[in-house]
Amino acid sequence: MSESRSLSVPDGLAGERVDAAIAKLLGFSRSFAADVVAAGGVRVDGVVVDKSDRLHADSWLEVEWSPKESPRVVPMAVPGMTIVYDDEDIVVVDKPVGVAAHPSPGWDGPTVPGGLAAAGFTIATSGAAERAGIVHRLDVGTSGLMVVAKTELAYTALKRAFKERTVDKVYHALVQGHPDPTSGTIDAPIGRHPSSDWKFAVVADGKPSVTHYETLEAFRAATLLEVHLETGRTHQIRVHMAATRHPCVGDTTYGADPVLSAELGLTRQWLDAVRLGFEHPRTGVWVEFEAAYPDDLRHALELVREG
């Protein structure tokens, strides 16, 4: 059964792309909004529009769509996902590459909540069922540490901690070339890529995004960085490093050299969430967790060192 909405375009959305506007108006994800537009489900003043068309104030907007089923947590064992720490309030996992932080439309692969459910963990928190306990995310193609809240107390406290930026999120990234300066801060707003639905970019009207980095080791063709995130935008490290013309090795989506990626046996970006620190939601004591590099990243790093 389809649903529909008809309304006048508000002044605040004048000039917005159609897909971005209906995502804001109707609470859709950007990708679902794009699907609705692609299916011919959006008319402006009676005329079917494309997702990149711009809206004008006081135009009459008609949107028709078929609701997607809400994604749900499917218990599914996740080989290689290790439990780093577990108590009554939280569980910290080392997420392998290829595992989503939570279920989402169109994703039928393994997820962190699904892996925890298969391992017998119970998550009792508010929020959408498919994101129960999830207080932050890692890309499917990024490995490393994630904390999941098991109780409402932990969920509330950790959501606040991530929002207030009191969590210490530390990544290691192997990037192409040699950043200059060798240590520094990248302060550049990030938003949707103007011509690609699945990418992000440094754009003038993006959200404030701050990345601190320092060189750990320099090689002939690459540099190993330690990265501290002040903000937590989608693809933040990947976008910021690509913007400085030092993309993460293996990250062909953001301009990495495919020849070097192949030589190192990488099928994803060299990026790993190695350390995570925060105040424990129940005790208030600062806790910190570390994880070793996964095999594919360790192997690629060894090859770079030898080169």
Side-chain angles (χ1 to χ4, degrees):
M1 179 183 292
S2 64
E3 295 185 22
S4 62
R5 284 282 301 278
S6 299
L7 66 162
S8 178
V9 175
D11 289 343
L13 291 181
E16 283 265 19
R17 282 171 51 119
V18 169
D19 55 352
I22 68 167
K24 290 177 182 176
L25 278 170
L26 302 177
F28 295 162
S29 69
R30 184 71 172 265
S31 58
F32 183 62
D35 290 344
V36 171
V37 181
V42 181
R43 293 173 181 267
V44 176
D45 294 332
V47 179
V48 174
V49 291
D50 291 326
K51 64 184 181 183
S52 57
D53 289 341
R54 303 281 173 169
L55 292 179
H56 301 285
D58 297 324
S59 296
W60 191 249
L61 181 67
E62 299 170 272
V63 186
E64 184 173 358
W65 71 96
S66 296
K68 282 190 174 181
E69 283 187 26
S70 295
R72 58 192 181 89
V73 174
V74 177
M76 180 188 299
V78 178
M81 187 171 84
T82 56
I83 305 300
V84 176
Y85 176 81
D86 172 40
D87 65 22
E88 64 177 311
D89 292 296
I90 61 173
V91 55
V92 178
V93 302
D94 188 0
K95 183 187 86 67
V97 65
V99 179
H102 57 73
S104 59
W107 176 259
D108 58 5
T111 67
V112 170
L116 289 173
F121 287 85
T122 300
I123 308 297
T125 64
S126 61
E130 72 274 12
R131 299 190 186 191
I134 301 299
V135 292
H136 69 127
R137 294 178 292 179
L138 290 180
D139 295 344
V140 170
T142 299
S143 52
L145 294 170
M146 275 185 64
V147 58
V148 179
K150 293 167 67 177
T151 62
E152 190 63 32
L153 177 147
Y155 183 75
T156 301
L158 288 172
K159 287 286 279 188
R160 184 187 309 116
F162 276 97
K163 184 177 182 180
E164 295 177 352
R165 305 178 186 177
T166 60
V167 178
D168 191 22
K169 298 174 286 185
V170 183
Y171 294 73
H172 284 182
L174 185 68
V175 302
Q176 291 182 193
H178 305 101
D180 183 15
T182 56
S183 297
T185 295
I186 304 168
D187 185 349
I190 291 176
R192 289 278 177 179
H193 193 285
S195 60
S196 174
D197 286 336
W198 306 108
K199 290 171 63 177
F200 292 79
V202 171
V203 291
D205 60 348
K207 294 180 179 179
S209 307
V210 181
T211 301
H212 307 284
Y213 70 90
E214 58 183 279
T215 294
L216 293 178
E217 212 171 339
F219 311 103
R220 181 179 59 81
T223 303
L224 182 64
L225 301 178
E226 179 160 297
V227 181
H228 291 250
L229 286 185
E230 190 171 314
T231 52
R233 309 303 175 201
T234 303
H235 296 183
Q236 180 171 322
I237 295 172
R238 300 167 64 190
V239 170
H240 272 172
M241 296 319 302
T244 64
R245 298 185 179 172
H246 298 288
C248 294
V249 172
D251 194 0
T252 52
T253 298
Y254 285 102
D257 179 3
V259 175
L260 178 60
S261 304
E263 288 175 354
L264 299 179
L266 282 174
T267 57
R268 52 105 166 203
Q269 62 268 14
W270 204 112
L271 180 62
D272 194 52
V274 295
R275 232 168 35 248
L276 187 62
F278 50 88
E279 285 188 359
H280 191 283
R282 186 171 294 275
T283 66
V285 174
W286 184 262
V287 291
E288 195 164 282
F289 306 96
E290 294 192 30
Y293 301 149
D295 290 345
D296 62 333
L297 300 190
R298 184 175 45 76
H299 176 68
L301 186 59
E302 287 171 358
L303 293 178
V304 167
R305 280 198 176 110
E306 293 168 2

